[in-house]
Amino acid sequence: MNKKVLYWPGLGKDMKVLNSFRRELAAEGYQIDVVDFEYDKGSLNPNKWKQIQKNQYDWWIGISLGASLLYYSYNFVENSLRPKRLTLINPFCSRKILSEEKLFDMSKQWDFSPIDNLCIVDKIDVVISIYDWKIPIYHGIKLLTLTSSLNKYIIFLNSDHIVDNEIIQKELVKALITCEEGKKNQNEEKFNNCYIYKQQ
């Protein structure tokens, strides 16, 4: 398989978050790189991020701030280098709106709204944790609904914002592979904590 994945961690870039998820992906044959630029440093300019401007990846996967940045950055990359698939785990559609909802200071953070930079992509999955107290679930659903794609999946998880449970992380990998194969998860594979819906 040897598909190349670029993983975008969340704020703080804690690599313990989704560690079991990434190990499971690697065990399935995916090669995983991690974004090598700092968030919220200097001006927001994806045109200067060499990792996405010079490298070809099949699949971008991000969580939280990383998910929102990967979506926002997609249109800054030339067509030949854009991944065929995006997976957003608990993204926000606007950081300013989120700051107003959750009452946090954005004075030292990039002010950007992925919803203003909508993508046309072959395949997109939005993963929503139903016990996410950090980002309201409508943010991700709104992004998915407005994205132009023939293959749009939403996956609801019995989980928290960072998907802390290792069993659920591993199950999420299997669910995403199910989506990769174009299945609708009807009588093909049963999951205990992941609920897949293909948006028509």
Side-chain angles (χ1 to χ4, degrees), residues 44-49 52-53 60 69 71-79 82 117:
L44 174 57
N45 188 356
N47 286 315
K48 293 186 176 180
W49 295 343
I52 62 171
Q53 299 296 344
W60 285 358
L69 281 171
Y71 189 95
Y72 178 83
S73 302
Y74 184 83
N75 289 325
F76 287 83
V77 177
E78 65 177 76
N79 286 336
R82 289 178 184 171
N117 202 18

Side-chain angles (χ1 to χ4, degrees), residues 79-188:
N79 286 336
S80 63
L81 291 177
R82 289 178 184 171
K84 299 294 184 186
R85 185 179 188 188
L86 304 178
T87 296
L88 316 178
I89 303 171
N90 298 323
F92 56 78
C93 65
S94 167
R95 204 176 197 184
K96 183 175 183 181
I97 290 172
L98 183 64
S99 74
E100 292 168 352
E101 292 170 337
K102 295 299 179 179
L103 304 176
F104 63 83
D105 180 18
M106 275 190 47
S107 61
K108 296 182 180 179
Q109 298 180 342
W110 289 330
D111 181 359
F112 72 101
S113 297
I115 201 71
D116 294 336
N117 202 18
L118 293 170
C119 298
I120 301 172
V121 62
D122 286 359
K123 183 170 291 188
I124 182 168
D125 325 283
V126 173
V127 179
I128 302 291
S129 292
I130 60 177
Y131 301 114
D132 186 346
W133 309 119
K134 293 192 174 183
I135 299 179
I137 64 173
Y138 83 85
H139 280 259
I141 294 170
K142 190 171 185 179
L143 272 179
L144 181 70
T145 300
L146 296 176
T147 298
S148 179
S149 176
L150 293 177
N151 296 287
K152 296 163 70 166
Y153 290 88
I154 186 164
I155 301 175
F156 290 103
L157 297 184
N158 283 332
S159 187
D160 57 1
H161 180 70
I162 61 171
V163 195
D164 203 34
N165 185 294
E166 291 187 10
I167 293 172
I168 297 177
Q169 289 182 41
K170 292 176 181 179
E171 191 173 293
L172 177 57
V173 170
K174 290 180 172 45
L176 289 169
I177 290 172
T178 294
C179 296
E180 176 72 19
E181 295 168 352
K183 298 177 182 177
K184 293 184 180 179
N185 197 33
Q186 294 174 350
N187 302 317
E188 285 124 343

